[in-house]
């Protein structure tokens, strides 16, 4: 090419980043990598190759971890746990700080290796992935420093299993390892089979940071290795990022094992452009939303919703920009898009796009041979088209138009996912009105794909649960320090040989949608006092009654929009009305349980006051993220919460679950104490006289196992809590995998409802989701 030609075309020449250092590191390990267990690399076993997707070259051989390998790694982590967890936070902070420093020191090697193993442009690994990794360790060094004073009474969980995907290999490692170590846990991490190399390099340098042996272990392998790891009984917590399908499998595989679980899964995130948006900025944003990392991003803005009036103009600008995107050698600093992570992934994308009924626009940019796919736009789809609903996980954008903000919200939320959303408008009122209405864990206003260690990241619905980043992310690696007492089941008092039956039989109904309702099956059972007196009958609800109750709870979701002040007033009113009938409830409790009821009534009234107090005080936060602008952490209600109330403390237990649920704006379906249900049915009258809107609290009596199953498998129940004595935890967690509802189960452990164990921040966190709203501002 002559100089004149270069000036005419203004084409970029290649500017490759050197891979010499990375090749030298790989050469050092040409015998193949073993696993990193107890501070040392094992001999290689069952080797498989990891390749550079951009040119197919074999980079290294790594080991396929067996069940026995996993067991060895978990044992090493368990041995290291007592000492590491007892290490003072500030000392752990030093190690995390050293890790951050070492990541920075080796940042070039990490970036090049990541790009070679994954195919992402060096520009991204160098400027985004690796700096965010370092930031994550710095930030969590700070959390470790402060955690003992800021989160008293909390303790680490034990051995944490981390299973991570291939799209951000080292960053996902940092997201799991940094909070786990900061909180005093030990870790066994399994990187994705396509991209294990940066994790192995990290293992190597972690020794320099003074990380004690066994605190971090890395076992490589595929899904089978991952499955063996999450199922291992020595694991106390599983943190997973990957596909929704595997997330559901992990939910099922760990059901009833008492393991803490966080899942960061797929998405189909909307990218909403209003007609008053700065369209050029919105186009640039879209490049970052869907062509960043070749679209292999869980929160990729993969669903464009553009307001009708500007749609043609926007699409024209977008196509022009797509045509100019440069695909090529990921190590070339001038390219915009690199290679797809693996031929299997390329095949999936090709199949999905080729099978689409929409109009397909493929960018007119040269596509190199190999694992590359051009930027693609698909229009003309309907809301139910598979590509509008399913995650493609590639550089493919689908687009639809809308007319009004309300329609934008409806389209945006028409998905089973709920990871992220972007809103583009110059109208701050509109942006801030949209943010709370979007079903997503993260909302970016006039921005996209912003991440920071201080800001929580994670989804709602089938995008999973739990947050990563910030104090809220750390919380997922801790539990309240409490002695573990086994819960003793309580049996209902039996019918005596010569029953004392009062003249008038009273059958308590169910309470659904603000009305007392006869159970669908028409069955009831007798409730006896310890002395053999018939106290009444209680309705036996079934699956149909649960369906009705959930429907009523859904219809009442406007409660979530009531102000905290308003909700507080109603909780105070409940307390007042219960207090007015205190003696009656105390007598009822005595009749039911044979024990004096005064103290329980008194504590219940106090608890209602406590939840009234919290209703307008569980504040969010403005996160100090490193940009001009703020990231707001908003507490939102989870939605419809089902709850199986404790058998013991029949009134206090019910109110202890109802209180936080409704204080935070949720609606609920409560299954009262099985042996002593009549305190709950008496409580209807208090609900009826206290201005609680119909459907906010629904109560269904009956057999806990049957009702729990109906709630756990119901797709419109967002969370299910179980404190019943019946052994329901395993079933609930397994059944909940369908819609990935949030579960909170007792695993057969007791809680003293009279004390602080029956209230507090743990309940607040369970009754809310954190939504992070990023609002950059300024010129
Ligand atoms: P995947 O979900 O199968 O793999 C993620 C990780 O889980 C890997 O380390 C894998 O070895 C492990 N794994 C697989 N099966 C497992 C099991 N039964 N138990 C425990 N661990 C298991 O994701 P994959 O196959 O790499 O990609 C498939 C699709 O998943 C993509 O096309 C994309 O749609 C989605 N995906 C979403 C990600 C996200 O960040 N949300 C990341 C990666 C993939």
């Amino acid at each position: 090419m002559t100089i004149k030609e270069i000036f005419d075309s203004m084409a970029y020449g290649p500017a490759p980043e050197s891979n010499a250092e990375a090749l030298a590191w790989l050469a050092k390990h040409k015998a193949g990598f073993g696993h990193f267990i107890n501070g040392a690399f094992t001999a290689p076993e069952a080797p498989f190759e990891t390749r550079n997707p951009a040119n197919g070259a074999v980079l290294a051989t790594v080991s396929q971890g067996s069940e026995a390998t996993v067991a060895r790694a978990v044992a090493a982590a368990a041995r290291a746990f007592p000492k590491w967890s007892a290490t003072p936070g500030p000392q752990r902070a030093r190690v995390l700080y050293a890790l951050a420093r070492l990541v920075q020191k080796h940042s070039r090697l990490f970036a090049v290796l990541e790009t070679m193993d994954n195919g992402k442009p060096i520009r991204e690994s160098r400027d985004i992935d690796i700096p965010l990794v370092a930031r994550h360790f710095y930030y969590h060094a700070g959390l470790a420093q402060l955690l003992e004073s800021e989160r008293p009474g909390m303790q680490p969980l034990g051995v944490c299993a981390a299973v991570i995907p291939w799209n951000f290999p080292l960053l996902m490692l940092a997201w799991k390892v940094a909070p786990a170590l900061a909180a005093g846990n030990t870790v066994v991490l399994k990187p994705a089979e396509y991209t294990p190399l940066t994790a192995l390099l990290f293992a190597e340098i972690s020794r320099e940071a003074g990380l004690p042996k066994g605190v971090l272990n890395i076992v490589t392998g595929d899904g089978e290795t991952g499955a063996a790891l999450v199922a291992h009984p020595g694991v106390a917590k599983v943190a997973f990022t990957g596909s929704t399908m595997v997330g559901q499998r992990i939910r099922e595989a760990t059901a009833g094992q008492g393991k803490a679980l966080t899942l960061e899964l797929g998405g189909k995130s909307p990218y909403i452009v209003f007609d008053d948006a700065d369209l050029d900025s919105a186009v640039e944003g879209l490049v970052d939303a869907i062509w960043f990392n070749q679209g292999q991003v869980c929160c990729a803005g993969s669903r464009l919703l553009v307001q009708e009036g500007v749609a043609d103009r926007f699409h024209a600008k977008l196509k022009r920009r797509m045509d100019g995107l440069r695909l090529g050698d990921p190590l070339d600093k001038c390219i915009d898009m690199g290679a797809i992570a693996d031929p299997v992934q390329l095949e999936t994308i090709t199949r999905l796009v080729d099978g689409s009924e929409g109009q397909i626009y493929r960018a007119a940019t040269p596509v190199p041979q190999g694992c590359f796919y051009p930027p693609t736009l698909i229009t003309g789809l309907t809301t139910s088209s598979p590509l509008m609903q399913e995650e493609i996980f590639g550089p493919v954008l689908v687009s639809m138009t809308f007319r009004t903000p309300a329609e934008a919200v409806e389209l945006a939320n028409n998905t089973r996912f709920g990871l992220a959303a972007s809103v583009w408008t110059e109208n701050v009122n509109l942006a801030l009105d949209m943010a709370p209405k979007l079903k997503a864990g993260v909302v970016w206003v006039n921005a996209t794909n912003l991440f920071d260690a201080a800001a929580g990241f994670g989804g709602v619905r089938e995008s999973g649960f739990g947050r990563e980043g910030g104090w809220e992310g750390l919380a997922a690696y801790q539990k309240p320090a409490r002695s573990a007492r086994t819960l003793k089941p309580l049996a209902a008092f039996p019918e005596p040989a010569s029953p004392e039956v009062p003249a008038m039989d009273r059958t308590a109904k169910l309470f659904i949608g603000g009305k007392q309702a006869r159970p669908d099956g028409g069955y009831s059972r007798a409730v006896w006092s310890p002395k053999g007196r018939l106290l009444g009958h209680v309705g036996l609800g079934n699956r149909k009654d649960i369906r009705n109750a959930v429907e009523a709870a859904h219809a009442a979701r406007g409660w979530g929009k009531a102000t905290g002040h308003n909700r507080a007033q109603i909780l105070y009113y409940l307390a007042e009305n219960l207090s007015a009938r205190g003696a009656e409830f105390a007598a009822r409790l005595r009749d039911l349980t044979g024990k004096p009821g005064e103290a329980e009534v008194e504590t219940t009234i106090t608890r209602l006051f406590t939840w009234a107090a919290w209703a307008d005080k569980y504040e969010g936060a403005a996160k100090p993220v490193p940009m001009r602008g703020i990231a707001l952490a908003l507490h939102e209600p989870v939605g419809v919460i089902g709850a199986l109330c404790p058998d013991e403390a029949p009134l206090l237990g019910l109110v202890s679950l109802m209180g936080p649920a409704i204080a935070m704006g949720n609606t609920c379906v409560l299954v009262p104490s099985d042996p002593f249900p009549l305190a709950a049915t008496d409580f209807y009258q208090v609900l009826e006289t206290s201005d609680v809107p119909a459907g906010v609290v629904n109560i269904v009596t009956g057999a806990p196992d049957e009702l729990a199953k109906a709630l756990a498998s119901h797709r419109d129940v967002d969370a299910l809590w179980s404190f019943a004595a019946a052994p329901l935890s395993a079933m609930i967690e397994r059944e909940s995998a369908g819609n990935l509802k949030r579960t909170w189960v007792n695993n057969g452990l007791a809680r003293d409802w009279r004390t602080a164990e029956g209230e507090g921040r743990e309940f607040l966190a369970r009754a809310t989701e954190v939504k992070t709203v990023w609002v950059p501002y300024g010129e």
Side-chain angles (χ1 to χ4, degrees), residues 163-168 172 190-194 221-228 230 240-247 249-250 264-267 296-299 345 348 391-393 419:
V163 178
I164 57 172
W166 39 262
N167 53 349
F168 293 91
M172 289 303 105
K190 193 203 79 68
E193 50 272 43
Y194 304 145
D222 62 11
E224 271 182 40
T225 314
V230 302
F240 172 77
T241 297
S243 61
T244 293
M245 200 186 73
V246 173
R249 254 189 247 155
I250 291 177
E264 202 271 272
L265 309 174
Q296 303 166 130
V297 181
C298 50
C299 52
Q345 190 64 17
T348 311
E391 191 176 35
I392 303 172
F393 227 63
L419 195 48

Side-chain angles (χ1 to χ4, degrees), residues 150-222:
E150 291 305 302
R151 292 180 60 81
M154 301 300 281
Q155 64 185 30
L157 301 166
V159 177
C160 297
V163 178
I164 57 172
W166 39 262
N167 53 349
F168 293 91
L170 192 66
L171 185 57
M172 289 303 105
L173 173 149
W175 279 24
K176 308 276 184 280
V177 170
L181 300 190
N185 302 279
T186 56
V187 176
V188 180
L189 174 126
K190 193 203 79 68
E193 50 272 43
Y194 304 145
T195 55
L197 294 179
T198 45
L200 294 166
L201 172 61
F202 184 85
E204 205 174 272
I205 70 154
S206 73
R207 292 190 289 209
E208 284 175 57
L211 194 64
K213 282 180 191 170
V215 170
L216 171 64
N217 306 274
I218 293 179
V219 176
T220 52
D222 62 11

Side-chain angles (χ1 to χ4, degrees), residues 490-550:
L490 293 171
F493 293 109
E495 179 176 354
S498 44
E500 186 192 321
V501 180
M504 205 167 60
D505 170 29
R506 287 207 52 206
T507 300
K509 300 193 181 80
L510 317 179
F511 187 64
I512 296 177
K515 293 198 192 77
Q516 302 202 16
R518 241 177 265 287
D520 168 69
Y523 292 108
S524 61
R525 78 165 167 87
V527 180
W528 301 93
S529 83
K531 294 206 175 114
R533 188 155 57 87
L534 180 67
L535 298 175
H537 283 80
V538 65
L540 292 177
N542 63 15
R543 176 174 285 271
K544 176 93 190 319
D545 297 306
I546 289 290
R547 279 211 298 267
N548 293 340
V550 172

